Amino acid sequence: MESGTPVDGGFGTLLHRLRTEAGLSQEELAHTAGVSVRALSYMERGHSRGPQRRTVQALAGALGLDEAVARELERVASSGRPRKARTGSSPSPAFVPDAVGQAAAPDLLPRAPRGFHGRAAELDALSRAAEGEAPVCLVVGPAGVGKTALVLHWAHCGPAGFPDGRLYADLRGFGGTGEPTLMEVLREFLPALGVPLDRIPESENGAAALFRSLAADRRLLVVLDNARNSEQVRPLLPGGRRCVTVVTSRHRLPGLIVTDTARPVAVGVLGPQDGTMLLAAVLGRERVAAEPAAARRLAELCDGLPLALRVVAARLTQRPGSSLETMAAELSDETRRLSLLDVEDTGVRAALRVSLQQLPQDVSRQFARLGRHPGTHVDRYTAAALADTDPPAAEAALEKLAAAHLVTETAPGRWTMHDLVRLYARSLEVAPEALKRLLDYYVTTGLAAVAAAEPGNEECFPLPADYLPPAVVREFGDRAAAVAWYAVERDDLVSAVAAAHAAGLHDRAWRVVMTLWPLIVWRVRDGWVPLLETGLRSARTDADQHGESRVLNVLGWVLIEEGRIEEALARLRAAPALASRTGDPVAEANALLVLAMAQAALGDLDEAARGCERAVELARAADDRTIERLALQHLARHRADAGKWREALDTATEALAFDDRSGTADIPRILLLVVRGEALLGLGDKAEGIEQLDLAAREAESSGYEDGAVRALGVLLKVSEDTGLRARYDAAVTRLTTRA
């Protein structure tokens, strides 16, 4: 049934005329082009004057337009698209917290699916569900049915516009790699909305609250893909009146309907006609029309699952001379015995096997090795390590796999697999050392990252005796490059530790944990204890006392920062002796310093000072100036806390005479200046003490070391009524409480 007449005299009029000349109804054209009837009606009535280029191309193809007419349709459409406003006339940006910078509208959506066909009713239902105030749309259906493809197609081409950005997160509720935590998702959303990494709150509640506040006045689309249950979704709902949230799940999620009035959109399998048309959209109508029975048979063999149909189409595209009947015959033995309801991924596995057989041997080998990756994303380096090849060869194989729809490039140089494809890859036989090669790549790269991020610090550990070196080791030019690598790879590194521990590769598991120590130090309250416990178990199983001592050291420090002092002390007591038995004086000194922190936190300042004095002796014997300076810094702190002002002043002055560390913000120097200032105040030299504390505060503020700024300014406020100091202190506290 027609839904109105054209009124705009432009694109709508031209589209209406071309459709009428083709003898198609709106329903027929919408169905063939893969747009909703409502969207098509809006276009013809002038409510959508400038649809996107891909939509116009889909309409031109469905209408069978020749090249000249198709160009004219695109020209008229482009003339109706809105132009970007001049900078001088742009409206004022919405208010955001001080910690957040303004950024361009983010777009985290994966690319639109190619060859999408049909689903007119579902697209129309999704558009209706997205209307109103702060809607939550719940797209549900069985695995492999195309829920994600439907939502991405709608988001890229549908009638809804989201000028303030589009966010996307795969919640992995049904994959084999584990679900992301709330903080993992927010660590993608918040930077996309302009929040610097060092301003993301450490707590889940704080980060979620910041996300909601940023979304409150924006017109955002938030896609939460593959949700397992309602509880996983609720903390990520933006809540803004103009925000639209689309959730996909294999489950119905009735709880989300009850608590958040979610509007369900059911997605079922494709019928034989739509399955055939999907093949035609990828292979070409002529090829499918030449073998209609075989095309219909392929749709039936794939159980109407779009994922399976797309893999089959990709396979046939690589064999332009092969018939659809031949392909159907190859699939018949694998799928006709299987039911989607019984084993929902069997049809997909059969289709993937056929597709993989047609790829070059090196590409098939790379695909199988990807199944041994314990995380969710790979780059050219990790793929090369898995396949024991070089990064250019790995990247070429990944590009071929992407062309075959077996992997997806989610960001430049970052690939991932659909969960069902990943399960298939893991079922393939590969050389047993693939995981070990990946872990050794992570160990080597992690050591390089430590060296770039914390220059001058001791080496973490020697390499394993049976170490398998990667063909190429990633290099880091500076600290910023290392930090960027940690930020991107963090979750996959954590997954690698779990995989190493489960596979009995304990000598790798604790080493990967230790390569993360700079990140653990920077984000100490980020829930590291379970990971460190795994590393500790692996070090003990590996019977490596040096590794055990180092892991205990970091674990104890994290426990101290979490306020679990008694637990920390119980762990740390064994660390110095373990390091001593391995003949590593630097590791022993480090262990003594962390042990002293726990002792001081429990009030035993004299014992803490004695431990630091011993650490100074060990560092001097090892001629390690970095550890010696660090030990003097801790010793000065403990003496100051005990009110031993002269000893604290002398120790801090001695440590400050050391050469400053290069380039990076010198945190030990700032802390030593604070101790020196406190000691001078304690000795009655108020003027010099204030000068030292002010110097410490200014250096901390200029380097972004908010902890040091708060500490120095807090002491200054005890001896000064200056209102400027109070303002600086309050600003530092604000920055500290809103940082990442």
Side-chain angles (χ1 to χ4, degrees):
M1 187 175 78
E2 300 299 326
S3 301
T5 56
V7 295
D8 70 330
F11 178 80
T13 299
L14 177 58
L15 179 60
H16 179 268
R17 177 171 63 80
L18 292 172
R19 178 178 62 78
T20 303
E21 291 174 354
L24 297 174
S25 67
Q26 283 187 344
E27 288 79 2
E28 291 170 333
L29 177 57
H31 182 82
T32 305
V35 300
S36 71
V37 176
R38 174 176 293 192
L40 183 59
S41 174
Y42 281 0
M43 292 179 208
E44 292 194 356
R45 292 159 61 191
H47 297 316
S48 178
R49 297 174 181 269
Q52 297 183 23
R53 181 185 297 272
R54 61 175 63 87
T55 302
V56 177
Q57 292 173 342
L59 290 168
L63 290 166
L65 302 180
D66 60 33
E67 185 175 348
V69 178
R71 281 202 306 269
E72 176 63 14
L73 186 64
E74 167 57 25
R75 184 193 67 77
V76 175
S78 65
S79 67
R81 291 175 188 141
R83 301 295 191 265
K84 292 183 178 179
R86 295 178 181 272
T87 304
S89 61
S90 297
S92 298
F95 170 82
V96 294
D98 291 341
V100 181
Q102 295 296 327
D107 191 352
L108 301 185
L109 289 180
R111 65 174 176 81
R114 298 176 182 175
F116 184 89
H117 174 78
R119 300 293 195 191
E122 291 89 343
L123 290 167
D124 200 38
L126 184 52
S127 295
R128 291 196 305 272
E131 294 173 350
E133 183 176 306
V136 177
C137 311
L138 181 56
V139 179
V140 295
V145 78
K147 301 180 293 295
T148 301
L150 172 77
V151 171
L152 292 179
H153 179 81
W154 175 83
H156 281 286
C157 306
F162 302 95
D164 294 322
R166 303 182 295 189
L167 305 179
Y168 173 90
D170 184 358
L171 302 184
R172 305 198 300 271
F174 304 95
T177 60
E179 301 167 8
T181 65
L182 174 60
M183 283 301 297
E184 287 169 6
V185 176
L186 291 172
R187 277 197 297 266
E188 293 187 6
F189 282 6
L190 290 174
L193 294 174
V195 181
L197 287 173
D198 62 348
R199 299 295 175 85
I200 299 176
E202 291 186 359
S203 71
E204 289 186 347
N205 288 339
L210 178 58
F211 170 61
R212 289 192 296 272
S213 69
L214 293 175
D217 295 316
R218 303 190 188 196
R219 190 177 181 188
L220 287 171
L221 170 65
V222 180
V223 178
L224 304 175
D225 203 12
N226 294 313
R228 179 173 55 86
N229 56 31
S230 301
E231 182 181 3
Q232 190 183 22
V233 170
R234 290 191 186 101
L236 292 168
L237 297 178
R241 295 177 58 192
R242 299 188 297 165
C243 294
V244 174
T245 305
V246 180
V247 180
T248 75
S249 180
R250 298 179 193 179
H251 295 167
R252 297 180 184 272
L253 306 191
L256 205 61
I257 298 173
V258 172
T259 60
D260 294 275
T261 322
R263 304 167 185 177
V265 176
V267 183
V269 297
L270 295 174
Q273 180 179 356
D274 277 338
T276 301
M277 293 302 295
L278 176 56
L279 287 173
V282 179
L283 298 173
R285 285 182 291 179
E286 296 81 2
R287 189 172 181 186
V288 170
E291 298 181 80
R296 188 180 181 90
R297 177 62 178 154
L298 281 173
E300 293 171 348
L301 286 170
C302 290
D303 294 326
L305 289 171
L307 175 60
L309 286 163
R310 288 180 184 280
V311 173
V312 168
R315 167 74 174 85
L316 288 166
T317 300
Q318 293 181 340
R319 297 165 54 183
S322 179
S323 68
L324 273 64
E325 180 61 39
T326 300
M327 184 68 182
E330 293 176 10
L331 285 177
S332 293
D333 289 342
E334 297 291 338
T335 61
R336 65 186 176 187
R337 299 183 305 270
L338 301 175
S339 164
L340 177 65
L341 186 60
D342 294 335
V343 185
E344 66 183 41
D345 66 328
T346 303
V348 174
R349 184 180 290 110
L352 286 169
R353 183 179 300 115
V354 174
S355 180
L356 200 62
Q357 288 172 352
Q358 304 306 313
L359 293 173
Q361 185 176 0
D362 64 317
V363 178
S364 297
R365 180 173 175 271
Q366 180 71 77
F367 177 82
R369 295 296 183 97
L370 292 178
R372 292 299 179 270
H373 191 278
T376 58
H377 287 80
V378 298
D379 60 14
R380 61 203 297 262
Y381 292 95
T382 50
L386 282 163
D388 190 21
T389 185
D390 57 77
E395 185 172 21
L398 287 166
E399 289 174 350
K400 289 183 174 67
L401 289 169
H405 303 282
L406 295 174
V407 300
T408 301
E409 189 173 13
T410 57
R414 299 275 293 174
W415 286 268
T416 190
M417 287 179 168
H418 185 280
D419 56 343
L420 297 178
V421 177
R422 185 180 293 108
L423 287 173
Y424 173 70
R426 288 177 178 171
S427 71
L428 302 175
E429 293 185 6
V430 298
E433 78 277 1
L435 177 60
K436 184 183 289 187
R437 289 190 179 279
L438 175 70
L439 295 169
D440 285 349
Y441 160 76
Y442 278 141
V443 167
T444 307
T445 308
L447 287 173
V450 170
E454 296 290 341
N457 275 279
E458 61 176 311
E459 291 291 333
C460 286
F461 44 74
L463 294 172
D466 58 344
Y467 167 72
L468 301 174
V472 175
V473 178
R474 184 191 292 271
E475 297 179 355
F476 302 98
D478 53 24
R479 182 178 185 270
V483 170
W485 181 78
Y486 277 124
V488 170
E489 296 290 346
R490 168 184 170 158
D491 297 335
D492 286 337
L493 287 167
V494 172
S495 296
V497 172
H501 184 77
L505 298 172
H506 297 290
D507 55 346
R508 270 76 175 176
W510 70 261
R511 284 176 166 86
V512 176
V513 170
M514 286 307 303
T515 65
L516 282 161
W517 78 257
L519 185 62
I520 296 172
V521 169
W522 301 330
R523 296 184 56 88
V524 66
R525 297 178 184 88
D526 215 21
W528 296 106
V529 170
L531 176 72
L532 289 164
E533 293 280 12
T534 299
L536 182 60
R537 288 194 297 272
S538 285
R540 287 171 173 168
T541 304
D542 191 33
D544 192 305
Q545 293 184 335
H546 178 263
E548 183 180 353
S549 171
R550 295 302 306 277
V551 178
L552 275 173
N553 228 23
V554 180
L555 174 60
W557 187 69
V558 170
L559 289 169
I560 292 170
E561 291 295 320
E562 291 186 356
R564 299 157 65 177
I565 312 300
E566 295 286 357
E567 290 181 63
L569 190 62
R571 296 285 195 173
L572 289 165
R573 284 196 179 101
L578 285 167
S580 178
R581 286 198 290 270
T582 65
D584 188 340
V586 174
E588 185 180 355
N590 258 323
L592 286 167
L593 294 179
V594 183
L595 176 61
M597 289 174 62
Q599 292 166 335
L602 291 173
D604 195 348
L605 293 172
D606 290 340
E607 186 67 23
R610 284 192 289 273
C612 291
E613 290 168 350
R614 174 58 180 157
V616 172
E617 295 173 0
L618 290 166
R620 286 173 178 167
D623 194 25
D624 191 313
R625 299 277 285 175
T626 300
I627 298 301
E628 181 183 354
R629 183 184 188 222
L630 183 64
L632 288 169
Q633 173 210 318
H634 281 264
L635 179 58
R637 178 75 265 163
H638 298 321
R639 285 174 170 170
D641 289 341
K644 299 178 179 179
W645 301 121
R646 174 54 60 185
E647 295 178 50
L649 178 61
D650 292 344
T651 305
T653 301
E654 179 183 0
L656 283 166
F658 283 52
D659 292 336
D660 292 347
R661 289 177 60 188
S662 62
T664 59
D666 194 352
I667 292 176
R669 169 181 162 80
I670 293 169
L671 295 175
L672 285 164
L673 287 171
V674 173
V675 173
R676 181 176 167 80
E678 290 181 56
L680 287 165
L681 290 177
L683 292 169
D685 192 344
K686 183 176 180 180
E688 181 65 18
I690 289 176
E691 181 179 336
Q692 292 290 295
L693 288 163
D694 184 65
L695 177 60
R698 294 190 184 280
E699 289 191 12
E701 289 168 325
S702 65
S703 64
Y705 179 40
E706 310 301 349
D707 302 71
V710 169
R711 183 185 292 255
L713 291 166
V715 178
L716 281 171
L717 284 172
K718 295 178 181 178
V719 296
S720 174
E721 299 292 335
D722 188 289
T723 56
L725 286 176
R726 170 59 63 181
R728 289 167 61 193
Y729 177 82
D730 291 341
V733 169
T734 299
R735 291 191 299 270
L736 180 62
T737 55
T738 57
R739 71 180 182 178

